[in-house]
Amino acid sequence: MLLIPCPWCGDRDETEFHYGGQAGVSYPARPADLSDEDWGEYLFVRDNPKGPLAERWSHSAGCRRWFSITRNTATNEIVR
Amino acid sequence: MSEHPDRLWRNPEPRSGYDVVIVGGGGHGLATAYYLAANHGIRNVAVLEKGWLAGGNMARNTTIIRSNYLWDESAAIYEHALKLWEGLSSELDYDILFSQRGVLNLAHTLQDVREGTRRVNANRLNGVDAEWLDPDQVREFCPIVNTAQDVRYPVLGATLQPRAGIAKHDHVAWAFARKADELGVDLIQGCEVTGFLKDGNKVIGVDTNLGPIYAGRVGLAAAGHSSVLASLAGFRLPVQSHPLQALVSELLEPVHPCVVMSNHVHVYVSQAHKGELVMGAGIDPYNSYTQRGSVHVIEQQMAAALELFPLFARAHVLRTWGGIVDVTPDASPIIGPTPVDELFVNCGWGTGGFKATPASGWTYAHTLATGKAHALNEPFALERFTTGALIDEHGAAAVAH
């Protein structure tokens, strides 16, 4: 069970949150220029490190806001 | 329980090179090694396992075997697996305790009913045995299921695959390992791949904690850790690693005659040969390599199990565990070449790799032997994430991922 630090509400139990995957994945700036490979990469490929991962969480049962944290996927330690 | 053979496998030192090196000594890696030797006569093969043979997801899983997938590509590969399962004890000369007790996939909503009946029809068109049962027929087939209609999620019907069932996971792994060893394959435990030896864009071997091992071809079969290996080799995979938890009860007298899965209330339950109730549910939502998940996921699956099987209320949980599964965007596996020459990948089986073990090995062995896809694994190549020809099995995968 993770204890997740919501920037607005403080530490709350994982059950209050929704997971949003890797943080910092932006919509392509010039989508018309993308090759099929680039589109596939954008749509389907995300980092999957055994170590620190910047990721999105939504405090869906609390303030309902989205935020990013960095969590070590090998230990579950939240390193921010 | 059946008797084990006197001898299982040698424990050799790695040689300096092999025709094929398989990274990962779980069920799929061992099956691949066996079929490389048995079907293709390629015996100069090593399976490298960083822990001990079949000590990962093969060591603890919910052992369910079925082939009632929706799409033609999936039905073909899982049905090939099921046909191999049916002859495996005799082929491998080792009782894998394959028990075709039937799998029920319950429907609790009108949408479940529509999806289920559609899948029954799709299965029949693909030569996969499938039936639709109404609630009375569900109760007849599995009397302990609560089919009362005044509960929150009443059972409105179920698909039944009579040929589906369970097998003893450890025996499956040991049987493949023993036969592969007998045919000359080196099974090397405690050997962790730490990097790849390359000549330009071509892989020529692997670096390990036991030193470099050269290879004509390298096949990854490392499940949850495939993207860790891929990053060592210099490419990315469309997979995410998540914890998947399961649990077993104490040993009980035979009470549960088949396998019951429910996508909607989300639990799957069968009774192991020794008598434990074996239960699983979905993955934990976040990426993790910790081999543990969160308690609330287990609480939810037990609550679902209790609603379906009120008589489990007094059963004690004996053991829970978590493994790391590699989940793809379309809930279908990836088998085929990678951007690195002579380096192949077999991954992305998510929560359901056990049932595929023989067909995964069969088709991957073909690919590693010939450098080309088998007709059964061709649609499951990495390039589908570029072409968009996805095989979306989220419904028939029966587990939320």
Side-chain angles (χ1 to χ4, degrees), chain A residues 1-2 14-15 19 36-37 40-41 44-50 53 57 71 73-76, chain B residues 50 225 227-228 236-241 285-290 293-294 296 329 385-386 390:
Chain A
M1 184 81 77
L2 305 179
E14 173 197 336
T15 53
Y19 185 62
D36 288 353
E37 286 72 23
E41 180 90 3
F44 300 123
V45 185
R46 295 291 180 269
D47 290 348
N48 187 26
K50 188 175 188 174
L53 172 67
W57 289 85
R71 185 177 53 92
T73 63
T75 61
N76 278 340
Chain B
K50 72 175 174 180
H225 279 71
S227 40
V228 173
R236 299 211 296 169
L237 284 168
V239 301
Q240 299 281 291
S241 298
Y286 50 82
N287 293 40
S288 177
Y289 290 90
T290 58
S294 297
H296 69 90
F385 297 100
T386 300
L390 303 183

Short mmCIF file of all heavy atoms in Angstrom, two decimals, chain A residues 1-2 14-15 19 36-37 40-41 44-50 53 57 71 73-76, chain B residues 50 225 227-228 236-241 285-290 293-294 296 329 385-386 390:
data_model
loop_
_atom_site.label_atom_id
_atom_site.label_comp_id
_atom_site.label_asym_id
_atom_site.label_seq_id
_atom_site.Cartn_x
_atom_site.Cartn_y
_atom_site.Cartn_z
N MET A 1 0.84 -1.19 0.00
CA MET A 1 0.00 0.00 0.00
C MET A 1 0.88 1.24 0.00
O MET A 1 1.75 1.39 0.84
CB MET A 1 -0.90 -0.03 1.24
CG MET A 1 -1.88 1.10 1.30
SD MET A 1 -3.33 0.80 0.28
CE MET A 1 -4.26 -0.36 1.29
N LEU A 2 0.64 2.12 -0.96
CA LEU A 2 1.46 3.32 -1.05
C LEU A 2 0.84 4.46 -0.24
O LEU A 2 -0.38 4.58 -0.16
CB LEU A 2 1.57 3.78 -2.51
CG LEU A 2 2.09 2.76 -3.52
CD1 LEU A 2 2.12 3.37 -4.92
CD2 LEU A 2 3.46 2.25 -3.14
N GLU A 14 -3.12 5.27 -0.94
CA GLU A 14 -3.20 4.98 -2.38
C GLU A 14 -4.63 4.81 -2.90
O GLU A 14 -4.92 5.15 -4.06
CB GLU A 14 -2.39 3.70 -2.61
CG GLU A 14 -2.44 3.10 -3.97
CD GLU A 14 -1.96 1.66 -3.95
OE1 GLU A 14 -1.19 1.28 -3.03
OE2 GLU A 14 -2.37 0.91 -4.83
N THR A 15 -5.53 4.30 -2.06
CA THR A 15 -6.89 4.01 -2.54
C THR A 15 -7.64 5.29 -2.93
O THR A 15 -8.65 5.21 -3.61
CB THR A 15 -7.72 3.28 -1.47
OG1 THR A 15 -7.65 4.02 -0.26
CG2 THR A 15 -7.19 1.88 -1.23
N TYR A 19 -4.04 6.29 -10.98
CA TYR A 19 -2.70 6.33 -11.56
C TYR A 19 -2.76 6.80 -13.00
O TYR A 19 -3.62 6.36 -13.77
CB TYR A 19 -2.08 4.93 -11.49
CG TYR A 19 -0.64 4.87 -11.96
CD1 TYR A 19 0.36 5.59 -11.31
CD2 TYR A 19 -0.27 4.07 -13.04
CE1 TYR A 19 1.68 5.53 -11.72
CE2 TYR A 19 1.05 3.99 -13.46
CZ TYR A 19 2.03 4.73 -12.78
OH TYR A 19 3.33 4.66 -13.20
N ASP A 36 4.93 7.20 -39.09
CA ASP A 36 4.17 6.14 -38.42
C ASP A 36 4.92 5.64 -37.18
O ASP A 36 4.31 5.36 -36.14
CB ASP A 36 3.93 4.98 -39.38
CG ASP A 36 2.90 5.31 -40.45
OD1 ASP A 36 2.30 6.40 -40.37
OD2 ASP A 36 2.72 4.50 -41.37
N GLU A 37 6.25 5.52 -37.32
CA GLU A 37 7.06 5.05 -36.18
C GLU A 37 6.93 6.01 -35.00
O GLU A 37 6.76 5.59 -33.86
CB GLU A 37 8.54 4.91 -36.58
CG GLU A 37 8.86 3.72 -37.47
CD GLU A 37 8.35 3.87 -38.90
OE1 GLU A 37 8.14 5.04 -39.36
OE2 GLU A 37 8.13 2.84 -39.57
N GLY A 40 3.50 5.67 -33.40
CA GLY A 40 3.45 4.45 -32.59
C GLY A 40 4.17 4.66 -31.27
O GLY A 40 3.68 4.28 -30.20
N GLU A 41 5.33 5.29 -31.34
CA GLU A 41 6.12 5.57 -30.15
C GLU A 41 5.33 6.48 -29.19
O GLU A 41 5.24 6.22 -28.00
CB GLU A 41 7.43 6.24 -30.59
CG GLU A 41 8.37 6.62 -29.48
CD GLU A 41 9.36 5.51 -29.12
OE1 GLU A 41 9.36 4.45 -29.80
OE2 GLU A 41 10.11 5.71 -28.16
N PHE A 44 2.09 4.42 -27.83
CA PHE A 44 2.17 3.12 -27.15
C PHE A 44 3.40 2.90 -26.27
O PHE A 44 3.41 1.97 -25.47
CB PHE A 44 2.11 2.00 -28.19
CG PHE A 44 0.86 1.99 -29.00
CD1 PHE A 44 0.90 2.07 -30.38
CD2 PHE A 44 -0.38 1.91 -28.38
CE1 PHE A 44 -0.26 2.07 -31.14
CE2 PHE A 44 -1.55 1.91 -29.13
CZ PHE A 44 -1.49 1.99 -30.51
N VAL A 45 4.44 3.69 -26.46
CA VAL A 45 5.68 3.38 -25.74
C VAL A 45 5.93 4.40 -24.64
O VAL A 45 5.92 5.60 -24.89
CB VAL A 45 6.89 3.34 -26.71
CG1 VAL A 45 8.14 2.89 -25.97
CG2 VAL A 45 6.61 2.41 -27.88
N ARG A 46 6.11 3.88 -23.43
CA ARG A 46 6.42 4.72 -22.28
C ARG A 46 7.65 4.14 -21.59
O ARG A 46 7.95 2.97 -21.73
CB ARG A 46 5.24 4.74 -21.29
CG ARG A 46 3.96 5.37 -21.82
CD ARG A 46 4.11 6.87 -22.00
NE ARG A 46 2.89 7.47 -22.51
CZ ARG A 46 2.61 7.64 -23.81
NH1 ARG A 46 3.47 7.22 -24.74
NH2 ARG A 46 1.49 8.20 -24.19
N ASP A 47 8.33 5.00 -20.82
CA ASP A 47 9.44 4.50 -20.02
C ASP A 47 8.93 3.45 -19.04
O ASP A 47 7.79 3.53 -18.56
CB ASP A 47 10.09 5.65 -19.23
CG ASP A 47 10.84 6.62 -20.14
OD1 ASP A 47 11.05 6.28 -21.33
OD2 ASP A 47 11.21 7.71 -19.67
N ASN A 48 9.79 2.47 -18.77
CA ASN A 48 9.41 1.42 -17.82
C ASN A 48 10.64 1.03 -17.00
O ASN A 48 11.07 -0.11 -16.99
CB ASN A 48 8.87 0.21 -18.62
CG ASN A 48 8.31 -0.87 -17.72
OD1 ASN A 48 7.87 -0.60 -16.60
ND2 ASN A 48 8.36 -2.11 -18.19
N PRO A 49 11.25 2.04 -16.34
CA PRO A 49 12.54 1.78 -15.68
C PRO A 49 12.38 0.99 -14.39
O PRO A 49 11.34 1.06 -13.73
CB PRO A 49 13.03 3.20 -15.37
CG PRO A 49 11.78 3.98 -15.14
CD PRO A 49 10.77 3.41 -16.10
N LYS A 50 13.42 0.23 -14.06
CA LYS A 50 13.51 -0.36 -12.72
C LYS A 50 14.33 0.63 -11.91
O LYS A 50 15.55 0.56 -11.84
CB LYS A 50 14.19 -1.73 -12.78
CG LYS A 50 14.16 -2.48 -11.48
CD LYS A 50 14.73 -3.88 -11.64
CE LYS A 50 14.52 -4.69 -10.37
NZ LYS A 50 14.94 -6.09 -10.57
N LEU A 53 10.97 6.83 -11.55
CA LEU A 53 10.03 7.10 -12.65
C LEU A 53 9.19 8.32 -12.27
O LEU A 53 8.54 8.33 -11.22
CB LEU A 53 9.12 5.89 -12.89
CG LEU A 53 7.96 6.08 -13.88
CD1 LEU A 53 8.50 6.28 -15.30
CD2 LEU A 53 7.02 4.88 -13.86
N TRP A 57 -0.34 11.27 -10.94
CA TRP A 57 -1.39 10.71 -10.09
C TRP A 57 -2.50 11.75 -9.98
O TRP A 57 -2.25 12.95 -10.01
CB TRP A 57 -0.85 10.41 -8.68
CG TRP A 57 0.08 9.24 -8.61
CD1 TRP A 57 1.43 9.25 -8.86
CD2 TRP A 57 -0.25 7.89 -8.25
NE1 TRP A 57 1.96 7.99 -8.68
CE2 TRP A 57 0.95 7.14 -8.31
CE3 TRP A 57 -1.43 7.24 -7.90
CZ2 TRP A 57 0.99 5.77 -8.02
CZ3 TRP A 57 -1.39 5.88 -7.60
CH2 TRP A 57 -0.19 5.16 -7.67
N ARG A 71 8.84 8.25 -8.23
CA ARG A 71 8.81 7.08 -7.35
C ARG A 71 9.81 6.07 -7.89
O ARG A 71 9.95 5.90 -9.11
CB ARG A 71 7.40 6.48 -7.35
CG ARG A 71 7.19 5.32 -6.39
CD ARG A 71 5.73 4.85 -6.42
NE ARG A 71 5.31 4.57 -7.79
CZ ARG A 71 5.39 3.38 -8.37
NH1 ARG A 71 5.80 2.36 -7.67
NH2 ARG A 71 5.04 3.22 -9.62
N THR A 73 10.58 2.56 -8.81
CA THR A 73 9.75 1.37 -9.05
C THR A 73 10.40 0.10 -8.51
O THR A 73 9.75 -0.94 -8.47
CB THR A 73 9.47 1.18 -10.55
OG1 THR A 73 10.72 0.95 -11.21
CG2 THR A 73 8.78 2.39 -11.16
N ALA A 74 11.68 0.19 -8.12
CA ALA A 74 12.32 -1.00 -7.54
C ALA A 74 12.05 -1.11 -6.05
O ALA A 74 12.18 -2.19 -5.47
CB ALA A 74 13.82 -0.97 -7.80
N THR A 75 11.69 0.02 -5.41
CA THR A 75 11.53 0.01 -3.95
C THR A 75 10.22 0.63 -3.49
O THR A 75 9.88 0.54 -2.31
CB THR A 75 12.65 0.84 -3.31
OG1 THR A 75 12.54 2.20 -3.78
CG2 THR A 75 14.03 0.29 -3.67
N ASN A 76 9.50 1.30 -4.38
CA ASN A 76 8.30 2.08 -4.07
C ASN A 76 8.60 3.35 -3.27
O ASN A 76 7.68 4.06 -2.86
CB ASN A 76 7.24 1.25 -3.32
CG ASN A 76 6.41 0.42 -4.28
OD1 ASN A 76 6.37 0.73 -5.47
ND2 ASN A 76 5.77 -0.62 -3.78
N LYS B 50 18.66 -15.86 -14.08
CA LYS B 50 19.39 -15.12 -13.03
C LYS B 50 19.13 -15.69 -11.64
O LYS B 50 19.96 -15.56 -10.75
CB LYS B 50 19.06 -13.63 -13.09
CG LYS B 50 17.68 -13.26 -12.62
CD LYS B 50 17.49 -11.75 -12.58
CE LYS B 50 16.05 -11.42 -12.25
NZ LYS B 50 15.81 -9.97 -12.21
N HIS B 225 10.77 -8.41 -16.70
CA HIS B 225 12.03 -7.65 -16.84
C HIS B 225 12.46 -7.44 -18.28
O HIS B 225 13.59 -7.01 -18.54
CB HIS B 225 13.14 -8.34 -16.04
CG HIS B 225 13.09 -8.01 -14.58
ND1 HIS B 225 12.11 -8.49 -13.75
CD2 HIS B 225 13.86 -7.21 -13.79
CE1 HIS B 225 12.30 -8.02 -12.52
NE2 HIS B 225 13.36 -7.24 -12.53
N SER B 227 11.70 -5.16 -20.43
CA SER B 227 12.09 -3.80 -20.82
C SER B 227 13.40 -3.38 -20.18
O SER B 227 14.10 -2.53 -20.71
CB SER B 227 10.98 -2.77 -20.60
OG SER B 227 10.30 -2.99 -19.44
N VAL B 228 13.75 -3.99 -19.03
CA VAL B 228 15.07 -3.73 -18.45
C VAL B 228 16.15 -4.26 -19.38
O VAL B 228 17.14 -3.58 -19.68
CB VAL B 228 15.18 -4.39 -17.05
CG1 VAL B 228 16.58 -4.27 -16.51
CG2 VAL B 228 14.17 -3.76 -16.09
N ARG B 236 13.44 0.37 -26.86
CA ARG B 236 12.32 0.43 -25.92
C ARG B 236 11.21 -0.51 -26.37
O ARG B 236 10.99 -0.69 -27.57
CB ARG B 236 11.76 1.86 -25.83
CG ARG B 236 12.80 2.86 -25.33
CD ARG B 236 12.15 3.97 -24.55
NE ARG B 236 11.25 4.80 -25.34
CZ ARG B 236 10.42 5.69 -24.80
NH1 ARG B 236 10.36 5.85 -23.50
NH2 ARG B 236 9.63 6.41 -25.58
N LEU B 237 10.50 -1.06 -25.42
CA LEU B 237 9.37 -1.95 -25.71
C LEU B 237 8.08 -1.29 -25.24
O LEU B 237 8.06 -0.61 -24.22
CB LEU B 237 9.53 -3.27 -24.95
CG LEU B 237 10.55 -4.26 -25.48
CD1 LEU B 237 10.78 -5.37 -24.45
CD2 LEU B 237 10.08 -4.86 -26.80
N PRO B 238 6.96 -1.52 -25.96
CA PRO B 238 5.68 -0.98 -25.49
C PRO B 238 5.08 -1.85 -24.38
O PRO B 238 3.98 -2.38 -24.53
CB PRO B 238 4.81 -0.99 -26.76
CG PRO B 238 5.38 -2.09 -27.57
CD PRO B 238 6.84 -2.18 -27.25
N VAL B 239 5.83 -2.03 -23.31
CA VAL B 239 5.31 -2.80 -22.17
C VAL B 239 5.51 -2.01 -20.89
O VAL B 239 6.43 -1.19 -20.79
CB VAL B 239 5.97 -4.19 -22.02
CG1 VAL B 239 5.77 -5.03 -23.25
CG2 VAL B 239 7.43 -4.08 -21.68
N GLN B 240 4.65 -2.25 -19.94
CA GLN B 240 4.74 -1.66 -18.62
C GLN B 240 4.70 -2.80 -17.61
O GLN B 240 3.92 -3.73 -17.74
CB GLN B 240 3.56 -0.71 -18.37
CG GLN B 240 3.51 0.46 -19.35
CD GLN B 240 4.49 1.56 -19.00
OE1 GLN B 240 4.33 2.26 -18.01
NE2 GLN B 240 5.53 1.69 -19.81
N SER B 241 5.56 -2.70 -16.59
CA SER B 241 5.67 -3.77 -15.60
C SER B 241 4.83 -3.44 -14.37
O SER B 241 4.97 -2.36 -13.79
CB SER B 241 7.13 -3.96 -15.20
OG SER B 241 7.88 -4.34 -16.33
N PRO B 285 -2.40 -0.95 -10.14
CA PRO B 285 -2.40 -0.02 -11.28
C PRO B 285 -1.05 0.59 -11.63
O PRO B 285 -0.82 0.96 -12.78
CB PRO B 285 -3.39 1.07 -10.86
CG PRO B 285 -3.49 0.96 -9.38
CD PRO B 285 -3.25 -0.47 -9.05
N TYR B 286 -0.16 0.73 -10.66
CA TYR B 286 1.08 1.47 -10.92
C TYR B 286 2.22 0.54 -11.35
O TYR B 286 2.21 -0.64 -11.06
CB TYR B 286 1.50 2.25 -9.66
CG TYR B 286 1.52 1.41 -8.41
CD1 TYR B 286 2.61 0.61 -8.11
CD2 TYR B 286 0.43 1.39 -7.54
CE1 TYR B 286 2.61 -0.18 -6.98
CE2 TYR B 286 0.43 0.61 -6.41
CZ TYR B 286 1.53 -0.18 -6.13
OH TYR B 286 1.53 -0.98 -5.02
N ASN B 287 3.19 1.12 -12.06
CA ASN B 287 4.39 0.37 -12.45
C ASN B 287 5.18 -0.01 -11.21
O ASN B 287 5.33 0.81 -10.30
CB ASN B 287 5.32 1.24 -13.30
CG ASN B 287 4.71 1.57 -14.64
OD1 ASN B 287 3.53 1.84 -14.72
ND2 ASN B 287 5.53 1.56 -15.68
N SER B 288 5.69 -1.22 -11.20
CA SER B 288 6.51 -1.62 -10.06
C SER B 288 7.27 -2.89 -10.39
O SER B 288 6.80 -3.74 -11.15
CB SER B 288 5.63 -1.86 -8.83
OG SER B 288 6.41 -2.33 -7.76
N TYR B 289 8.46 -3.00 -9.82
CA TYR B 289 9.25 -4.24 -9.90
C TYR B 289 9.41 -4.85 -8.51
O TYR B 289 10.29 -5.68 -8.30
CB TYR B 289 10.64 -3.92 -10.47
CG TYR B 289 10.63 -3.56 -11.93
CD1 TYR B 289 10.48 -2.24 -12.35
CD2 TYR B 289 10.80 -4.54 -12.91
CE1 TYR B 289 10.50 -1.90 -13.69
CE2 TYR B 289 10.81 -4.21 -14.26
CZ TYR B 289 10.66 -2.89 -14.64
OH TYR B 289 10.68 -2.57 -15.98
N THR B 290 8.59 -4.43 -7.56
CA THR B 290 8.82 -4.82 -6.16
C THR B 290 8.34 -6.22 -5.81
O THR B 290 8.59 -6.68 -4.71
CB THR B 290 8.12 -3.85 -5.20
OG1 THR B 290 6.72 -3.86 -5.51
CG2 THR B 290 8.66 -2.44 -5.33
N GLY B 293 2.23 -6.15 -3.99
CA GLY B 293 1.24 -5.16 -4.35
C GLY B 293 0.58 -4.63 -3.10
O GLY B 293 1.13 -4.72 -2.01
N SER B 294 -0.62 -4.08 -3.27
CA SER B 294 -1.29 -3.43 -2.15
C SER B 294 -2.40 -4.31 -1.60
O SER B 294 -3.05 -5.06 -2.32
CB SER B 294 -1.89 -2.10 -2.62
OG SER B 294 -0.85 -1.26 -3.05
N HIS B 296 -5.32 -3.57 -0.47
CA HIS B 296 -6.71 -3.32 -0.86
C HIS B 296 -7.09 -4.11 -2.12
O HIS B 296 -8.26 -4.43 -2.31
CB HIS B 296 -6.97 -1.82 -1.03
CG HIS B 296 -6.29 -1.19 -2.20
ND1 HIS B 296 -6.87 -1.11 -3.44
CD2 HIS B 296 -5.07 -0.64 -2.32
CE1 HIS B 296 -6.03 -0.52 -4.26
NE2 HIS B 296 -4.93 -0.22 -3.61
N PRO B 329 -0.12 -2.49 -24.59
CA PRO B 329 -1.31 -1.64 -24.77
C PRO B 329 -2.53 -2.40 -25.29
O PRO B 329 -3.66 -1.93 -25.10
CB PRO B 329 -0.85 -0.60 -25.80
CG PRO B 329 0.63 -0.54 -25.63
CD PRO B 329 1.05 -1.95 -25.29
N PHE B 385 2.57 -2.13 -33.40
CA PHE B 385 2.38 -0.84 -32.72
C PHE B 385 2.74 0.33 -33.63
O PHE B 385 2.51 1.48 -33.27
CB PHE B 385 3.19 -0.82 -31.42
CG PHE B 385 2.71 -1.87 -30.46
CD1 PHE B 385 3.38 -3.08 -30.32
CD2 PHE B 385 1.54 -1.69 -29.75
CE1 PHE B 385 2.91 -4.06 -29.46
CE2 PHE B 385 1.05 -2.66 -28.89
CZ PHE B 385 1.74 -3.86 -28.75
N THR B 386 3.30 0.03 -34.80
CA THR B 386 3.48 1.05 -35.83
C THR B 386 2.38 0.99 -36.87
O THR B 386 1.81 2.00 -37.27
CB THR B 386 4.85 0.87 -36.52
OG1 THR B 386 5.87 1.00 -35.54
CG2 THR B 386 5.06 1.92 -37.59
N LEU B 390 -3.50 -3.78 -34.09
CA LEU B 390 -3.50 -4.28 -32.73
C LEU B 390 -4.43 -5.48 -32.59
O LEU B 390 -5.36 -5.65 -33.38
CB LEU B 390 -3.93 -3.18 -31.75
CG LEU B 390 -3.11 -1.90 -31.76
CD1 LEU B 390 -3.62 -0.95 -30.69
CD2 LEU B 390 -1.64 -2.18 -31.57
#
